[in-house]
């Protein structure tokens, strides 16, 4: 079956007693058992079934099951935010004395998780340029526990070569972990490109319309202990399992993901092309533009679409603020891949607490505006941008 059909017509993990067509929402905490023996079997994992909603819930299970069927992952685990998915994944692979090989081009909280939170527990960070394979090769050492990256970095829009990084990780027998938030997991198979563990914020494309927070971990089964650590240890002890109401909304989101995404990606390309002709915009960055340096690699890795994140550079920070203040239709908000088009000035917001030196190291410039393109008519968005630039 094709992915669009799987997304809609995958049967529930267990048939609904009333025959509900849309996924039933279970908000309860505990589940009753027929007898003591069944109770013992479920609690000790000899039999499948929910016992307590901190670690298992039928609505969340249905979402995990559909994502598993769509991705071909061996195990899927749903968390209460993208950051919960990322932090639990890194907790599962790291330990005191180990180091994470990654880049400075990371989502702000992920960078801070690695360089601050985990550092306090004795986990090191080796920050390198992941597009420079020699640098990565020499950064990896006997204490490295993974190579971690974002498939398209935010807001730099840089793309690394996954197959080449996977070859380096394989040599050391460590997992390649990729945050795929910026391109929906249904568009490509990162596992075929050598990714061992995929994480993404389902707050973004999956929820659609920015309805709910969530994060998913797709474990392709190449590191057998990983699932045991996630499901047998961290899920219980950290307690960051996805909320059932979010799982309900995100299952509905998953059903329309492909239709929404195709439209958002084509809108983004249309807008990126249109932005080029507008006076006052010094640079337009979008990996779907043919002269973007990552265009070929992105096509090879992610297929014909290029996501819905576009950045523009204006003359100065003041010009950016003035532009943002003059928008009438595009919303001043963070989040990515909402149904609405959103604009933000990353340097003063998401990255607002980093020093100027850190911002320079991360290539986050105060002349950059990030646009997350929505489902509106793209001509209306271009018209709003033109008027905000005084044209
Ligand atoms: C938003 C985002 C996250 C964090 O996700 P939350 O659901 O907000 O916790 C992680 N990585 C990337 C690339 C993101 O865009």
């Amino acid at each position: 079956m094709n992915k669009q059909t799987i997304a809609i017509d995958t049967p529930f993990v267990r048939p609904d007693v009333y025959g509900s067509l849309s996924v039933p929402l279970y908000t309860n905490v505990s589940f009753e058992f027929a007898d003591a023996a069944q109770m013992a079997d479920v609690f000790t994992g000899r039999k499948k079934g929910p016992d307590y909603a901190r670690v298992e819930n039928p609505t969340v299970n249905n979402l995990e099951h559909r994502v598993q069927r769509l991705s071909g992952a061996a195990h899927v685990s749903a968390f209460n935010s993208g950051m919960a998915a990322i932090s639990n994944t890194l907790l599962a692979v790291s330990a005191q004395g180990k180091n994470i090989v990654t880049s400075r081009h990371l989502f702000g909280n992920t960078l801070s998780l690695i360089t601050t939170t985990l550092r306090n527990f004795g986990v090191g960070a080796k920050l390198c340029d992941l597009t420079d394979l020699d640098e990565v090769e020499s950064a990896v050492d006997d204490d490295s526990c993974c190579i971690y990256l974002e498939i398209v970095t935010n807001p730099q829009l840089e793309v690394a070569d996954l197959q080449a990084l996977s070859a380096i990780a394989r040599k050391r027998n460590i997992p390649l972990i990729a945050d795929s938030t910026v391109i929906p997991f249904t568009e490509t198979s990162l596992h075929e490109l050598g990714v061992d563990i995929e994480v993404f914020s389902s707050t973004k494309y999956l929820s659609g319309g920015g309805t709910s927070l969530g994060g998913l971990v797709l474990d392709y089964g190449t590191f057998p202990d990983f699932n045991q650590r996630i499901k047998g240890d961290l899920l219980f002890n950290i307690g960051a399992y996805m909320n059932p109401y979010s799982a309900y909304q995100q299952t509905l989101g998953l059903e329309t993901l492909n239709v929404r995404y195709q439209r958002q990606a084509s809108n983004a390309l249309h807008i990126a092309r249109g932005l080029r002709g507008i006076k006052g915009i010094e640079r337009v960055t979008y990996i779907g533009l043919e002269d973007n340096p990552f265009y070929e690699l992105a096509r090879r890795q992610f297929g014909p679409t290029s996501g819905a994140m576009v950045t523009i550079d204006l003359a100065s920070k003041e010009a950016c603020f003035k532009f943002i203040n003059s928008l009438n239709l595009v919303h001043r908000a963070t989040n990515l891949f909402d149904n609405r088009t959103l604009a933000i000035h990353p340097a003063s917001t998401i990255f607002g607490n980093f020093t100027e030196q850190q911002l320079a190291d991360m290539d986050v410039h105060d002349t950059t505006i990030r646009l997350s393109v929505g489902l509106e008519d793209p001509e209306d968005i271009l018209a709003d941008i033109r008027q905000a630039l005084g044209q």
Side-chain angles (χ1 to χ4, degrees), residues 80-84 86 107 109-110 148 150 152 154 179 181-182 200-204 213-215 335-336 370:
N80 228 343
S81 67
M83 283 317 302
I86 293 166
F107 180 69
N109 294 124
T110 306
Y148 183 91
E150 289 168 17
V152 182
N154 165 10
D179 176 336
T181 302
V182 171
F200 62 88
S201 166
S202 52
T203 312
K204 312 291 168 56
L213 285 164
N335 195 15
L336 288 172
R370 186 186 82 186

Side-chain angles (χ1 to χ4, degrees), residues 193-257:
L193 297 167
V195 169
D196 299 292
I197 297 158
E198 180 173 351
V199 291
F200 62 88
S201 166
S202 52
T203 312
K204 312 291 168 56
Y205 280 119
L206 211 57
S207 87
T211 59
S212 49
L213 285 164
L216 288 161
V217 178
L218 281 51
D219 166 14
Y220 290 101
T222 35
F223 287 81
D225 292 346
F226 179 77
N227 186 54
Q228 175 53 29
R229 295 224 52 199
I230 288 278
K231 288 225 202 269
D233 171 357
L234 296 170
L235 210 49
F236 288 84
N237 299 347
I238 302 289
Y241 191 49
M242 186 181 276
N243 167 319
Y245 195 62
S246 299
Y248 170 74
Q249 288 174 307
Q250 296 188 8
T251 304
L252 300 186
L254 183 62
E255 294 184 355
T256 59
L257 172 66

Side-chain angles (χ1 to χ4, degrees), residues 93-119:
V93 297
S94 65
Q96 187 177 19
K98 298 284 184 188
N99 66 67
I100 294 166
V101 177
T102 186
S103 149
R104 277 188 190 81
H105 294 174
L106 287 179
F107 180 69
N109 294 124
T110 306
L111 184 65
S112 159
L113 167 72
I114 292 173
T115 58
T116 309
T117 315
L118 290 174
R119 176 168 290 169

Side-chain angles (χ1 to χ4, degrees), residues 59-307:
T59 309
V60 183
N61 274 349
N62 278 319
L63 175 64
E64 292 171 326
H65 178 59
R66 276 193 206 189
V67 171
Q68 197 218 331
R69 285 208 52 206
L70 284 164
S71 63
H75 310 281
V76 173
S77 303
F79 290 90
N80 228 343
S81 67
M83 283 317 302
I86 293 166
S87 57
N88 279 270
T89 295
L90 291 177
L91 285 172
V93 297
S94 65
Q96 187 177 19
K98 298 284 184 188
N99 66 67
I100 294 166
V101 177
T102 186
S103 149
R104 277 188 190 81
H105 294 174
L106 287 179
F107 180 69
N109 294 124
T110 306
L111 184 65
S112 159
L113 167 72
I114 292 173
T115 58
T116 309
T117 315
L118 290 174
R119 176 168 290 169
N120 290 338
F121 291 87
V123 179
K126 297 210 165 181
L127 304 177
C128 47
D129 175 355
L130 294 177
T131 65
D132 180 342
L133 298 172
D134 293 335
E135 195 181 324
V136 180
E137 184 109 49
S138 53
V140 181
D141 65 23
D142 291 344
D143 292 324
S144 300
C145 61
C146 66
I147 300 178
Y148 183 91
L149 63 92
E150 289 168 17
I151 61 167
V152 182
T153 71
N154 165 10
Q156 304 87 358
L157 297 169
E158 172 191 277
V159 180
D161 184 335
L162 295 172
Q163 280 167 311
L165 290 173
S166 162
I168 297 174
R170 292 255 153 96
K171 248 193 271 174
R172 294 277 185 165
N173 197 29
I174 56 173
L176 176 64
I177 306 177
D179 176 336
S180 66
T181 302
V182 171
I183 308 267
F185 75 102
T186 42
E187 286 302 296
T188 180
S189 168
L190 292 189
H191 183 49
E192 280 172 18
L193 297 167
V195 169
D196 299 292
I197 297 158
E198 180 173 351
V199 291
F200 62 88
S201 166
S202 52
T203 312
K204 312 291 168 56
Y205 280 119
L206 211 57
S207 87
T211 59
S212 49
L213 285 164
L216 288 161
V217 178
L218 281 51
D219 166 14
Y220 290 101
T222 35
F223 287 81
D225 292 346
F226 179 77
N227 186 54
Q228 175 53 29
R229 295 224 52 199
I230 288 278
K231 288 225 202 269
D233 171 357
L234 296 170
L235 210 49
F236 288 84
N237 299 347
I238 302 289
Y241 191 49
M242 186 181 276
N243 167 319
Y245 195 62
S246 299
Y248 170 74
Q249 288 174 307
Q250 296 188 8
T251 304
L252 300 186
L254 183 62
E255 294 184 355
T256 59
L257 172 66
N258 182 46
V259 203
R260 286 183 290 109
Y261 173 70
Q262 297 306 329
R263 173 67 187 260
Q264 276 175 291
S266 72
N267 279 358
L269 182 59
H270 184 95
I271 287 172
R273 287 184 177 145
L275 288 169
R276 290 199 141 164
I278 300 179
K279 233 179 89 210
I281 298 180
E282 309 213 322
R283 188 165 49 166
V284 180
T285 308
Y286 181 57
I287 56 169
L289 290 173
E290 281 164 30
D291 55 2
N292 181 283
F294 299 110
Y295 176 79
E296 291 296 336
L297 181 60
R299 290 232 128 185
R300 197 161 71 202
Q301 299 192 145
F302 316 132
T305 62
S306 307

